[in-house]
Amino acid sequence: ERERSLAERSRLQALLTWAAAALVLALLGLLVVQRRATLRVATALAQLRDSESRATELLRVSSGYVYLHDGEGRLISANPAVAEVLGLGIDEMVGRRLSEFAADDGYKTYLTRVLRDRRAEGIAHIRAADGTTRHWRYSTRVAGADPQRPSFVVLAVDVSAQVNEASSLRQQSEHDALGQREPALRAH
């Protein structure tokens, strides 16, 4: 009986030893898998930070106007070129409405169109910090993935010189046309 009891005890000890070894090996395996996953996440986060840094730098040095707004026309972000024209710091612009910078009521039509079509293109009339009206040719696309709370990225270039030149030519043309008619009217 004692031998049987010792044999049973020895068998249980061996089984327990094997179970403990298997548990240790399983834990080591899980630790290796977890470590690899952590390294993959850390690498992905580093790549994301690097990508964000490059995108931020690109926007910072861009001479074009780039800004992001929500569906209600509140600014979410802007590059320094926008801030410079508006005479504000980037942080001061966040949360303000497009209407504060518009030189006319065109922004209302713009918001309606961009919400409906998820895109818009045209010319915006912007009230600059120096009191002048700037004319920006813009292209807007939806940027947010949430259809209930969309955000829109706007890329714009200043076309004020072209708009002012066209206006000046139009006025000159009207003046010349009126000036040429006047002598003809006197002759009759």
Side-chain angles (χ1 to χ4, degrees):
E1 173 92 19
R2 186 177 162 122
E3 280 183 26
R4 198 165 49 111
S5 174
L6 285 173
E8 180 67 21
R9 190 174 184 187
S10 179
R11 188 180 68 79
L12 286 174
Q13 281 180 336
L15 187 61
L16 191 58
T17 301
W18 279 104
L23 181 61
V24 167
L25 286 175
L27 288 174
L28 285 174
L30 286 175
L31 184 63
V32 168
V33 168
Q34 187 271 336
R35 175 90 171 136
R36 285 182 183 163
T38 300
L39 287 174
R40 281 194 303 268
V41 168
T43 301
L45 286 173
Q47 290 172 341
L48 178 62
R49 278 191 295 274
D50 184 50
S51 177
E52 285 177 347
S53 176
R54 282 183 279 146
T56 300
E57 181 63 13
L58 181 63
L59 290 177
R60 189 184 69 73
V61 300
S62 173
S63 60
Y65 306 106
V66 182
Y67 57 97
L68 189 69
H69 68 81
D70 66 14
E72 295 177 8
R74 280 190 302 267
L75 288 169
I76 298 169
S77 180
N79 72 341
V82 174
E84 184 180 330
V85 168
L86 300 177
L88 297 169
I90 294 172
D91 292 338
E92 294 174 274
M93 295 172 49
V94 173
R96 294 179 74 171
R97 294 192 175 273
L98 295 174
S99 59
E100 294 181 49
F101 310 110
D104 60 15
D105 286 343
Y107 70 91
K108 292 176 186 174
T109 307
Y110 162 78
L111 280 177
T112 302
R113 190 169 24 131
V114 81
L115 285 169
R116 181 189 66 224
D117 300 341
R118 300 297 208 216
R119 63 185 318 179
E121 293 182 356
I123 295 182
H125 308 287
I126 306 299
R127 189 174 47 255
D130 63 7
T132 61
T133 297
R134 302 286 178 92
H135 307 280
W136 290 358
R137 179 172 301 283
Y138 65 85
S139 178
T140 304
R141 300 290 183 268
V142 69
D146 182 358
Q148 300 302 322
R149 297 181 59 206
S151 56
F152 300 91
V153 64
V154 181
L155 308 173
V157 293
D158 194 330
V159 294
S160 298
Q162 294 90 334
V163 169
N164 293 337
E165 180 74 21
S167 177
S168 188
L169 287 172
R170 201 170 25 259
Q171 288 174 354
Q172 184 65 38
S173 174
E174 289 170 2
H175 175 70
D176 289 349
L178 290 174
Q180 289 176 356
R181 272 193 232 146
E182 195 173 297
L185 291 174
R186 280 190 228 144
H188 291 299

